[in-house]
Amino acid sequence: MNTVSLRDKNLFYIGGVVRDKLLGKDSFDIDLTYSGNAVEFVKNLPDAQILQINEPFGTVKIKFEGEEIDIASTRSETYPQKGHLPVVQNIGCSLKEDILRRDFTINAMAMSTLDGEIIDYVNGLEDIKNKKLRILHSDSFIDDPTRILRGLKFAVRFDFELEEETKKLQEDYLNNINYDMSYKRLKKELAETFNLNSWRAFEIFTNEKMYTLLAPQEFELPKINLEPIISKYNPENIWLIYVGLLEDISSLPLTKQEKNIVESYNYLKNKHFEDDFSIFSELNNAPLEAVIMLATKDYDTVKKYLTKLKDIKISITGKDLITLGLTPSPKFQEIFDYVLKEKLKNPELTKAQELELVKNKIKVI
Ligand code: CTP
């Protein structure tokens, strides 16, 4: 586990980093909380250089013995608007109150920076042992429905499952969704969950109808498992390959590039491909993500494209055509398409053979 050099009886590792240490896994980041006011604490530390202070949240970034360290003050929160960002209620509250605002028991433990003692007010250790995800109170999903996706993410990442009461509360929420929620936050959790490229996650997401968090809609699990194709071709926006298969994701704030992927897929899925040339021209122009998504509708076409056609290129260039005595014009594209069609039929064609084809073609046109 990554640790910091700073030690104090009121300074604790908290949340994911403690969970990961107990699971013997590496952490993405180290969260530290000071039981009290972190800003006051660092102001009184002789060797700390303060780099940044965020007063409203009581967080501070310092440089200490060459390390950059982020420290939060313990804080309690409320959700005046359910499903949206919480509002800080009290900075410098007790460690216990800070713990009780959190999502799952496995994420709600602290560890002393002084002696490594685990502070476990919520039986997180027991849940880690039994591989269970348990929320801390019955309004947890109502306050923050993104926690449903966080639960899915942790279930898949650690091979845990929801404890029974938590599962029931999740079902209750999914049967009575408040659509006035922050879809920016939901998108972040969808991306983190589905970037794991786990078909199992998608199965749970589908079977438990978590997709209704985006909009009331129906969805069936596709018969083609995309996980191995994604692993093989390693596209950039993995999460969108999964989520973009839903009928209605209009609630999500998408970037231009993300919108383009979804639009390309929706265009391709209604397309009929007549021959290899039409497969190549359509799919070669589409984002890789949309091509992989299409495998759920037309597996054979996508397989043919990815394994046989994708890397076929003609060798001749405009320069070669000029050398043959042609003047640049839209005819050039016609010639390239013609050679490409032939090359898709016979990928072994050499450049000399391509030029032969061109010469014969020029005679005709
Ligand atoms: N948290 C929460 N509710 C959320 C998001 C976060 O209660 N919707 C709390 C959890 O205690 C979590 C901590 O804030 O452990 C930090 O959140 P985050 O960095 O998103 O998650 P980690 O648990 O650190 O997990 P990861 O390893 O994915 O970063």
Side-chain angles (χ1 to χ4, degrees), residues 1-4 6-7 10-21 25-35 38 58-61 67-75 95 98-99 101-103 106-113 117-119 150 153-154 157 188-189 192:
M1 170 193 176
N2 301 332
T3 51
V4 293
L6 188 58
R7 314 244 179 276
N10 288 324
L11 185 66
F12 299 89
Y13 297 100
I14 197 142
V17 63
V18 180
R19 171 202 71 212
D20 291 343
K21 181 197 155 39
K25 307 216 181 251
D26 284 338
S27 277
F28 298 125
D29 54 7
I30 303 182
D31 288 320
L32 287 167
T33 195
Y34 181 80
S35 179
T59 58
V60 58
K61 187 194 266 303
E67 287 178 284
E68 284 193 11
I69 304 176
D70 289 298
I71 309 175
S73 305
T74 40
R75 66 171 189 263
L95 182 64
D98 181 287
I99 291 243
R101 73 179 162 85
R102 293 170 183 267
D103 54 0
I106 66 163
N107 290 340
M109 285 176 282
M111 188 177 99
S112 163
T113 54
E117 186 198 351
I118 301 286
I119 291 98
R150 289 176 62 81
K153 174 176 78 178
F154 295 123
R157 206 201 282 169
K188 179 175 167 281
E189 292 300 340
E192 283 185 20

Side-chain angles (χ1 to χ4, degrees), residues 83-242:
H84 291 263
L85 272 181
V87 170
V88 177
Q89 190 184 33
N90 181 10
I91 290 181
C93 67
S94 68
L95 182 64
K96 190 168 184 178
E97 275 178 279
D98 181 287
I99 291 243
L100 295 180
R101 73 179 162 85
R102 293 170 183 267
D103 54 0
F104 297 95
T105 61
I106 66 163
N107 290 340
M109 285 176 282
M111 188 177 99
S112 163
T113 54
L114 215 51
D115 56 11
E117 186 198 351
I118 301 286
I119 291 98
D120 180 12
Y121 296 115
V122 294
N123 276 332
L125 280 169
E126 184 75 9
D127 286 333
I128 287 222
K129 203 172 86 203
N130 297 324
K131 295 173 147 260
K132 295 286 181 200
L133 291 161
R134 184 192 309 269
I135 48 174
L136 305 190
H137 58 88
S138 58
D139 277 351
S140 189
F141 293 136
I142 298 168
D143 286 344
D144 179 358
T146 68
R147 287 174 171 168
I148 291 180
L149 294 172
R150 289 176 62 81
L152 175 61
K153 174 176 78 178
F154 295 123
V156 170
R157 206 201 282 169
F158 304 131
D159 196 20
F160 276 31
E161 59 179 16
L162 294 191
E163 160 285 324
E164 238 168 76
E165 181 64 16
T166 298
K167 183 147 197 221
K168 193 185 160 296
L169 290 164
Q170 175 178 291
E171 273 164 25
D172 288 350
Y173 187 79
L174 290 172
N175 284 324
N176 191 14
I177 296 169
N178 172 8
Y179 285 98
D180 173 20
M181 69 172 90
S182 163
Y183 280 97
K184 190 171 156 216
R185 299 186 83 196
L186 201 79
K187 179 186 168 187
K188 179 175 167 281
E189 292 300 340
L190 283 168
E192 283 185 20
T193 304
F194 287 108
N195 278 338
L196 296 173
N197 185 21
S198 158
W199 194 252
R200 189 176 153 241
F202 200 47
E203 270 171 356
I204 301 173
F205 181 77
T206 306
N207 293 342
E208 317 223 331
K209 294 193 185 296
M210 291 179 191
Y211 56 80
T212 52
L213 285 168
L214 285 87
Q217 59 188 315
E218 286 302 322
F219 180 67
E220 260 182 52
L221 191 71
K223 298 205 170 35
I224 302 289
N225 177 346
L226 296 180
E227 192 181 312
I229 313 179
I230 293 172
S231 297
K232 186 163 174 196
Y233 293 96
N234 202 19
E236 192 188 334
N237 298 280
I238 296 176
W239 74 276
L240 197 54
I241 296 183
Y242 289 98

Side-chain angles (χ1 to χ4, degrees), residues 350-365:
T350 62
K351 183 163 179 184
Q353 290 169 319
E354 288 180 27
L355 284 169
E356 266 322 295
L357 283 171
V358 178
K359 284 181 201 159
N360 291 331
K361 179 83 174 163
I362 305 172
K363 285 181 201 151
V364 184
I365 54 178

Side-chain angles (χ1 to χ4, degrees), residues 261-322:
I261 291 171
V262 178
E263 279 162 17
S264 290
Y265 165 64
N266 286 324
Y267 164 78
L268 290 174
K269 75 178 184 194
N270 297 315
K271 195 94 202 140
H272 172 70
F273 302 97
E274 272 151 27
D275 53 16
D276 288 358
F277 182 72
S278 85
I279 295 176
F280 185 92
S281 354
E282 294 287 1
L283 301 197
N284 195 43
N285 277 324
L288 176 60
E289 288 87 345
V291 173
I292 297 175
M293 291 160 86
L294 183 66
T296 60
K297 303 279 176 202
D298 189 348
Y299 178 72
D300 293 340
T301 296
V302 172
K303 185 173 176 202
K304 187 174 204 186
Y305 172 72
L306 289 176
T307 59
K308 292 208 167 74
L309 308 178
K310 184 167 78 64
D311 297 320
I312 296 179
K313 281 189 186 73
I314 58 171
S315 309
I316 54 160
T317 63
K319 251 190 190 163
D320 296 316
L321 300 188
I322 293 168

